């Protein structure tokens, strides 16, 4: 690495133990560290602690300066390189993040996680060939054939290359016949009825085995539910889904998301108040962010895949930059003994403009076209901030039948962030809060939002897509309806669906489960 200037003034030296204790005092601890850093081992400890505090406060660019300084002194620290790579990712500088992750492998070439983390980042950038090379290195250096094969499966599935993916999955099972991930994925992709039945039998055997781990049973349960649904055994499918979600609750707990109701109430109060000055700010440069949002499983991935085929749009996938900025604002609000979003009532146009510029610098950093998408569904929580900070942004709200949406969420394996997904009643309450908030945003910022109804999209795609493009200031292009053959990598749960032509196969699927969805139906609005 090139020589890096020390990012802080050097004063009196504290012991490393004292410095670590001071780190707990945020943000005051940063100032203390800066005053007492010196050029010795303690100096590196202090620089690391400053970087961690800055990262915690969302000040990633400044944190990077301190990590680079520490690495200048001790370049072979894989932990510090990992922190540096993560900070670069949060700023949207994926090229620098790749370089840092490549350095981790050079320092620790037998660390399997390092290869997977690098490949994940390359996949996010759409660099499929480079990701495949990383998995080849994993196989050669770490002798991890199964891990390398499963990694290659991820790449080929994201590219829609199903035959290659199924062949690799069969290779995995020839080495490890009870590999849960391979059994589940091949059962989903295989076009052979006899192979599918054999895989299903094996999955059922492992599901009923008392020695199968809870984590493995979760994968098996969702998979067996999906297979039962495909065979129109809906009662059996729901049994699997319910049992699997109970396993999830036992593992991670159930959050009834009562705080969601509180957040919605305060948001409506704040943004509906006459005291909330909606200051006019200038567009943040020439780039147009297109937010594609709504509930998970509502069709956001499909809409982004359609937009990605447009010559003037760069698909950004699910980005966390807006939530990172919200988190940073929340920390400031806490230090000022107020709350988010109430704190925004004291903000002026300069502060809103600064937030918008930071978002564009991070999210638009790798965009290769004048417009780029951010399809993180839960940005529906942030529409107010988006409207205030990004006057040029376009917001596409994708909405699907609430019962179809909630059922699809319940049937899929979501992260712990989506704990509401594990219980039908909690899921209904969450959806109700989402709808209440979206109704408010639509009334509050009517010119900023465009609604796409999933059912209308699959029925009249040309009309619906044309209207959405026009809303975003884009001309019609025929290739937008030929999204299924896009070379772009799809990286969400909808990875298979977006490789199929538009169809209404999933419309109204909730009716097959009507008797088992009573708890959900009771909680949803407009019953």
């Amino acid at each position: 690495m090139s020589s890096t200037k020390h990012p802080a003034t050097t004063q009196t030296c504290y012991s490393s133990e004292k410095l670590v204790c001071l780190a707990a005092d945020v943000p005051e601890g940063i100032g203390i560290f800066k005053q007492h850093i010196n050029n010795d081992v303690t100096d590196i400890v202090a620089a690391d602690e400053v970087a961690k505090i800055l990262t915690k406060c969302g000040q990633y660019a400044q944190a990077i300066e301190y990590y680079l300084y520490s690495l200048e002194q001790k370049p072979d620290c894989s932990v510090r390189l990992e922190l540096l790579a993560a900070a670069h990712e949060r700023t949207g500088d994926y090229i620098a993040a790749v370089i840092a992750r490549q350095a981790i492998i050079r320092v620790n070439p037998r660390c399997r996680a390092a290869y997977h983390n690098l490949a994940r980042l390359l996949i996010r950038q759409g660099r499929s060939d480079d990701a495949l090379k990383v998995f080849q290195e994993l196989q050669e250096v770490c002798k991890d054939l199964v891990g390398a094969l499963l990694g290659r499966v991820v790449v080929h599935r994201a590219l829609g290359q199903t035959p290659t993916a199924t062949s690799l999955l069969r290779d995995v099972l020839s080495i490890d016949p009870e590999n849960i991930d391979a059994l589940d994925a091949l059962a989903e992709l295989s076009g052979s009825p006899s192979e599918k039945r054999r895989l299903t039998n094996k999955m059922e055997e492992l599901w009923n085995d008392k020695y199968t781990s809870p984590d493995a049973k979760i994968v098996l349960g969702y998979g067996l539910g999906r297979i039962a649904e495909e065979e129109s055994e809906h009662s059996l499918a729901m049994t699997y889904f319910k049992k699997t979600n109970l396993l999830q609750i036992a593992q991670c707990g159930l959050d009834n998301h009562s705080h969601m109701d509180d957040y919605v109430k305060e948001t409506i109060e704040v943004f509906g108040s006459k005291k909330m000055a909606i200051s006019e700010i200038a567009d943040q440069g020439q780039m147009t962010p297109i937010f594609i949002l709504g509930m998970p499983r509502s069709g956001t991935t499909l809409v982004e895949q359609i937009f990605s085929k447009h010559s003037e749009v760069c698909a950004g996938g699910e980005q966390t930059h807006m939530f990172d900025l919200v988190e940073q604002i929340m920390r400031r609000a806490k230090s000022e003994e107020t709350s988010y979003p109430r704190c925004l009532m004291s903000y002026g146009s300069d502060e809103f403009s600064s937030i918008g510029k930071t978002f564009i610098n991070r999210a638009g950093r790798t965009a290769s076209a004048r417009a780029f998408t951010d399809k993180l569904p839960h940005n529906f929580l942030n529409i107010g901030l988006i409207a205030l900070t990004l006057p040029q942004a376009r917001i596409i709200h994708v909405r699907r039948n609430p019962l179809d949406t909630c059922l699809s969420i319940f049937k899929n394996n979501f992260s712990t962030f989506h704990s509401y997904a594990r219980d039908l009643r909690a899921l209904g309450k969450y959806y109700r809060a989402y709808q209440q908030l979206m109704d408010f945003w639509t009334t509050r910022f009517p010119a900023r939002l465009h609604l796409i109804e999933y059912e209308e999209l699959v029925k009249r795609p040309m009309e619906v897509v044309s209207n959405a493009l026009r809303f975003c200031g884009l001309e019609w292009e025929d290739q937008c309806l030929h999204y299924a053959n896009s070379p772009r990598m799809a990286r969400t749960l909808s990875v298979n669906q977006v490789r199929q032509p538009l169809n209404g196969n999933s419309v109204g699927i909730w009716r097959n489960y009507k008797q088992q969805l009573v708890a959900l139906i009771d909680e949803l609005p407009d019953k």
Side-chain angles (χ1 to χ4, degrees), residues 392-408:
Q392 77 274 39
R394 299 294 182 266
I395 303 170
I396 303 290
H397 174 208
V398 186
R399 186 171 66 192
R400 181 184 178 193
N401 176 285
L403 287 165
D404 281 338
T405 300
C406 292
L407 175 61
S408 186

Side-chain angles (χ1 to χ4, degrees), residues 393-437:
R394 299 294 182 266
I395 303 170
I396 303 290
H397 174 208
V398 186
R399 186 171 66 192
R400 181 184 178 193
N401 176 285
L403 287 165
D404 281 338
T405 300
C406 292
L407 175 61
S408 186
I409 292 172
F410 190 70
K411 296 189 303 182
N412 281 279
N413 190 1
F414 280 89
S415 68
T416 53
F417 173 79
H418 304 273
S419 60
Y420 61 88
R422 320 294 184 212
D423 177 83
L424 290 171
R425 194 169 295 280
L427 186 51
K429 290 179 179 178
Y430 192 89
Y431 188 95
R432 189 173 62 200
Y434 143 79
Q435 182 165 308
Q436 181 185 5
L437 186 57

Side-chain angles (χ1 to χ4, degrees), residues 48-179:
D48 283 347
E49 293 304 324
V50 173
K52 290 175 184 177
I53 296 173
L54 288 166
T55 298
K56 187 176 180 181
C57 293
Q59 298 177 33
Y60 304 112
Q62 296 94 318
I64 287 168
E65 294 181 28
Y66 284 88
Y67 286 132
L68 288 173
Y69 173 75
S70 295
L71 286 164
E72 184 73 20
Q73 316 307 311
K74 289 192 173 183
D76 294 339
C77 178
S78 57
V79 173
R80 195 173 290 122
L81 284 165
E82 172 63 37
L83 293 170
L84 174 66
H88 277 307
E89 287 189 51
R90 300 305 281 269
T91 65
D93 191 348
Y94 299 125
I95 294 175
V98 166
I99 292 171
R101 295 204 178 281
Q102 289 170 333
I104 295 172
I105 292 175
R106 285 196 297 272
V107 170
N108 191 359
R110 296 197 175 277
C111 176
R112 297 180 181 186
Y115 293 89
H116 286 285
N117 287 334
L118 174 58
R120 172 190 55 77
L121 185 55
L122 293 167
I123 290 169
R124 180 170 185 172
Q125 293 179 269
R127 296 168 59 181
S128 55
D129 289 342
D130 290 332
L132 290 172
K133 289 177 183 176
V134 170
F135 288 124
Q136 184 62 35
E137 290 179 26
L138 173 65
Q139 178 178 335
E140 294 172 355
V141 177
C142 299
K143 310 303 179 186
D144 184 4
L145 178 56
V146 168
L149 289 171
L150 287 173
R152 290 164 61 190
V153 167
V154 171
V155 175
H156 289 294
R157 287 192 72 178
L159 291 169
Q161 298 169 351
T162 301
T164 304
T166 54
S167 177
L168 292 168
L169 288 166
R170 292 181 185 117
D171 290 343
V172 171
L173 292 173
S174 70
I175 301 168
D176 181 5
E178 295 189 351
N179 187 285

Side-chain angles (χ1 to χ4, degrees), residues 341-355:
R342 192 169 301 280
C343 63
L344 297 179
M345 297 178 75
S346 64
Y347 279 34
S349 57
D350 288 345
E351 287 165 301
F352 287 131
S353 180
S354 176
I355 294 168

Side-chain angles (χ1 to χ4, degrees), residues 15 90 158 186 231 243 280 287 403 424 444 473 494 498:
S15 70
R90 300 305 281 269
L186 187 56
E231 297 174 350
K243 287 184 177 180
E280 289 294 329
M287 304 196 74
L403 287 165
L424 290 171
R444 186 67 182 84
S494 303
V498 297

